[in-house]
Amino acid sequence: MSIKQLCFDAHTQLRDQHGIAVRRTHLYELLATLLGFNSHAALAADAVIGQVRQAWKFNNDDLTRLSKRCLALGYPTAQSQRIVEAITALAETHRLVAVDVRYLVKVVAGDSDSWDVDDEEMTDDVGIDHASPWQNALDLDLDSPLLIDGLEQLAAKEHVDAHHALALLLECEPPEERDGHWYRQQLAGRRLDGPEKEWADDYAAALAQFDQYRQHLATAARLGRPDAALAWAELTGEEADFRHAQSLAAPEDATRLLDLADQLGTSATVLPLLRQAALAGDVQAMRRLAEDFEPDPVEAWTWVHLAELCGTDLTRMEAVYEDGSPADDDIPGNIFAVGGIDVPDISAEQHTVARQEAARRFETMRDH
């Protein structure tokens, strides 16, 4: 199923049932209008048409806007009414919504609560009153073939967020080599049936998905998406990919980037970013600086005292489970001790200096 097919069906219905000849390009324009955009070009620039799982009804304002657009395209009043009914029925039957691709990335990544439409980023063609209908449709169907088709069309135009959204939707581990026996037998020309063929086909599908995931993630990284570049560098472990991710990284990426730098033996290159992250309130960055990188004990304790002002005692030992959640005596599981970092002792006078500097940094952090 695709939007092209849905518009073709609407075109056929209007022609055969009502004798109305509607230009197919107009159907795209009218559908975009119903979904909140002033033109199909505006919708297609940074959004895709997707579906929601729940029933979806358009309100009177939506229908009025659609009717006005239909009249503006030159259709008589009687025909316009039929066209409006057909387009609305199409959209409601298939539960269609327009979804901004940047928002979609946040939905897939589980970060949609942080989404905020910036009026200054919206193009004049969109119409700010109807620029974000997707915000009212939180129950998006992420398996929708319409959504995937729209993303693939955008990705074909080198749209970085479309590539990243597809990568997130396709994200998977590479299939285990040991599971590919029957797949390799099939490649060698052996005719399979029954469970053996199912296993071979499943392995082939897993390979194809992982390959698509890699391609979209690599392209999003190449096109300059920072989080995609970091994920791609983590996947490949290549120094060139690490350097590219580092060139795009923000302070909040510092601790992930440092883990990768440790593998490559280039941890020192991440220190400026790690300090930026710590000064912005990243307690894990403060921990790494205090424990592993600061040669001056007073500076190390400054980070410890700053973390304390942020609500975390880095010197305290805590019991946690493997996933980092606090251990509970009533819940079984492997328990590990974390915290209690080892920082060289300093004098009381030096602690006073460290606390004063930590307080200054904390105030600067709060001011920002």
Side-chain angles (χ1 to χ4, degrees):
M1 180 171 58
S2 65
I3 293 300
K4 180 179 180 180
Q5 182 61 51
L6 292 181
C7 286
F8 177 83
D9 292 343
H11 178 270
T12 301
Q13 177 190 349
L14 286 165
R15 182 195 63 199
D16 294 348
Q17 295 184 13
H18 305 291
I20 301 174
V22 182
R23 293 175 59 182
R24 289 181 190 172
T25 55
H26 285 175
L27 290 174
Y28 285 94
E29 295 297 324
L30 292 169
L31 183 58
T33 298
L34 181 62
L35 296 180
F37 289 80
N38 288 341
S39 70
H40 181 260
L43 187 157
D46 289 299
V48 292
I49 295 177
Q51 295 170 282
V52 291
R53 291 187 173 89
Q54 75 272 26
W56 184 252
K57 292 289 184 182
F58 293 92
N59 58 40
N60 289 333
D61 289 341
D62 297 324
L63 302 183
T64 298
R65 186 173 67 252
L66 178 59
S67 180
K68 288 180 179 178
R69 185 68 193 282
C70 201
L71 292 169
L73 288 173
Y75 295 97
T77 301
Q79 289 190 358
S80 291
Q81 183 177 348
R82 292 294 189 186
I83 295 171
V84 167
E85 291 171 356
I87 294 293
T88 304
L90 170 76
E92 290 182 346
T93 298
H94 294 280
R95 307 179 308 282
L96 304 183
V97 291
V99 188
D100 184 278
V101 181
R102 294 167 301 169
Y103 172 69
L104 179 61
V105 168
K106 289 184 174 291
V107 170
V108 182
D111 190 30
S112 59
D113 289 343
S114 67
W115 175 256
D116 183 27
V117 175
D118 184 347
D119 292 0
E120 295 182 2
E121 293 183 2
M122 307 308 296
T123 62
D124 293 338
D125 197 27
V126 174
I128 197 62
D129 290 341
H130 310 101
S132 52
W134 51 84
Q135 286 184 292
N136 300 319
L138 299 180
D139 190 20
L140 286 169
D141 181 0
L142 297 179
D143 297 320
S144 164
L146 291 176
L147 186 72
I148 302 301
D149 181 65
L151 286 172
E152 289 175 344
Q153 289 186 46
L154 265 185
K157 302 173 184 176
E158 294 282 83
H159 192 289
V160 60
D161 294 320
H163 279 290
H164 193 214
L166 285 166
L168 291 173
L169 289 168
L170 291 163
E171 186 174 2
C172 61
E173 295 293 329
E176 296 286 346
E177 182 70 17
R178 60 180 173 79
D179 296 332
H181 170 75
W182 293 108
Y183 168 74
R184 289 188 289 274
Q185 290 289 310
Q186 187 168 256
L187 283 183
R190 182 172 175 178
R191 189 174 181 278
L192 303 178
D193 54 22
E196 291 84 2
K197 180 165 176 52
E198 290 182 17
W199 292 331
D201 291 345
D202 287 346
Y203 189 83
L207 276 179
Q209 179 176 337
F210 183 68
D211 185 56
Q212 287 181 302
Y213 161 60
R214 281 177 56 91
Q215 289 182 39
H216 287 298
L217 186 63
T219 304
R222 174 176 59 80
L223 293 174
R225 173 110 193 177
D227 42 2
L230 181 52
W232 177 246
E234 290 171 334
L235 184 64
T236 67
E238 296 290 338
E239 185 169 352
D241 296 324
F242 164 77
R243 297 293 183 189
H244 179 57
Q246 186 178 22
S247 71
L248 299 171
E252 57 265 26
D253 301 322
T255 50
R256 277 180 66 191
L257 201 62
L258 183 61
D259 290 338
L260 185 57
D262 284 341
Q263 301 173 31
L264 299 170
T266 57
S267 299
T269 64
V270 185
L271 285 181
L273 195 66
L274 198 63
R275 290 193 173 96
Q276 287 183 48
L279 291 171
D282 186 332
V283 173
Q284 288 304 313
M286 298 175 202
R287 178 192 298 275
R288 296 299 302 269
L289 286 167
E291 190 170 32
D292 300 326
F293 294 107
E294 295 295 359
D296 180 358
V298 176
E299 182 66 12
W301 274 103
T302 299
W303 293 121
V304 173
H305 292 314
L306 181 58
E308 187 175 6
L309 291 172
C310 292
T312 299
D313 184 356
L314 296 180
T315 65
R316 179 186 175 189
M317 297 288 290
E318 294 182 345
V320 300
Y321 293 117
E322 290 181 273
D323 63 359
S325 61
D328 188 324
D329 292 338
D330 297 328
I331 302 176
N334 295 326
I335 297 176
F336 302 87
V338 298
I341 65 172
D342 185 17
V343 184
D345 291 334
I346 58 176
S347 67
E349 292 80 7
Q350 289 174 313
H351 269 296
T352 298
V353 172
R355 285 194 175 93
Q356 290 174 342
E357 175 59 18
R360 186 193 67 77
R361 295 177 187 180
F362 185 67
E363 286 302 316
T364 301
M365 186 192 308
R366 291 176 62 182
D367 290 342
H368 286 85

